[in-house]
């Protein structure tokens, strides 16, 4: 459970390390000079990575579902406000492929570059690393903003409750 900004910052750092490792795996797969192998591996990597990031920030569908109604509504509103396509969602192959297609220029460039001997594989690896890192870090930032808003909302609720005057019946 996230109880402070320090907790949130530690989770962000941990997730950034996961993204870096996943980006290295993606780059390694992109170096293999077989068109299509890298996209398939990117999908597999993201299908593992995104749910792990969501879990770290308390934003899996199951974690959100376990919240009380008011908290759930706040989190879903925060997700909507960030425009996140992956926070609080079940991550499917179809969703990942759609998001990769939005990055289509990079994916296409990566595929074409494999046909240039030696240098092409290195370029494909660099493009793959950068695209995976960008996509992962963008998702981390979305999750961070959602979790921060939720944390600040929880603090405001506690302060309001503490300031509430006692009635004669209490």
């Amino acid at each position: 459970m996230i109880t402070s900004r320090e907790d949130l910052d530690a989770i962000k750092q941990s997730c950034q390390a996961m993204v870096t490792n996943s980006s290295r795996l993606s780059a390694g797969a992109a170096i293999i000079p077989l068109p299509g192998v890298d996209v398939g591996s990117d999908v597999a990597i993201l299908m593992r990575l995104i749910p792990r990031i969501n879990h770290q920030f308390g934003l899996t569908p199951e974690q959100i579902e376990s919240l009380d109604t008011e908290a759930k509504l706040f989190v879903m509103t925060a997700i909507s406000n960030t425009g996140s396509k992956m926070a609080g969602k079940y991550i499917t192959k179809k969703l990942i492929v759609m998001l990769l297609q939005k990055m289509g220029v990079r994916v296409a460039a990566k595929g074409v570059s494999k046909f240039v001997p030696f240098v092409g594989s290195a370029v494909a690896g660099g493009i793959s690393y950068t695209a995976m890192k960008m996509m992962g870090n963008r998702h981390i930032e979305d999750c961070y903003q959602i979790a921060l808003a939720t944390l600040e909302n929880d603090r405001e609720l506690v302060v309001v409750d503490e300031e509430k005057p006692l009635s004669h019946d209490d």
Side-chain angles (χ1 to χ4, degrees):
M1 173 147 194
I2 302 169
T3 58
S4 69
R5 184 88 178 243
E6 291 76 26
D7 290 347
L8 202 50
D9 290 341
I11 290 168
K12 184 177 184 178
Q13 281 187 315
S14 170
C15 289
Q16 286 170 330
M18 285 192 296
V19 166
T20 298
N21 290 335
S22 295
S23 298
R24 288 182 186 136
L25 286 173
S26 177
I31 291 172
I32 300 168
L34 296 172
V37 169
D38 53 340
V39 175
S41 67
D42 284 352
V43 170
I45 290 167
L46 287 167
M47 295 245 347
R48 277 194 357 250
L49 177 65
I50 300 303
R52 288 174 63 199
I53 292 170
N54 285 345
H55 184 267
Q56 291 292 313
F57 282 100
L59 295 172
T60 66
E62 297 82 7
Q63 289 168 314
I64 294 170
E65 191 58 39
S66 72
L67 298 172
D68 64 59
T69 305
E70 189 175 320
K72 191 184 317 180
L73 182 60
F74 185 86
V75 169
M76 295 309 288
T77 301
I79 289 171
S80 177
N81 289 343
T82 66
S84 176
K85 304 282 188 247
M86 298 182 286
K89 308 255 184 341
Y90 288 103
I91 305 304
T92 63
K93 183 177 180 182
K94 184 178 177 179
L95 176 62
I96 295 295
V97 168
M98 180 192 73
L99 292 170
L100 285 172
Q101 285 173 340
K102 284 188 177 186
M103 299 181 75
V105 174
R106 287 187 179 84
V107 173
K110 190 166 67 167
V112 170
S113 69
K114 287 189 175 205
F115 294 106
V116 180
F118 306 112
V119 175
S121 290
V123 169
I127 291 170
S128 191
Y129 178 89
T130 302
M132 182 69 64
K133 189 104 167 143
M134 188 175 83
M135 192 171 187
N137 283 338
R138 182 180 304 149
H139 181 58
I140 291 170
E141 194 54 42
D142 286 348
C143 289
Y144 184 88
Q145 292 305 320
I146 294 162
L148 181 60
T150 303
L151 181 64
E152 289 173 352
N153 183 61
D154 290 348
R155 283 190 182 151
E156 286 174 18
L157 291 175
V158 169
V159 170
V160 168
D161 285 346
E162 289 173 357
E163 292 177 356
K164 188 169 123 183
L166 294 175
S167 68
H168 294 289
D169 298 334
D170 289 338

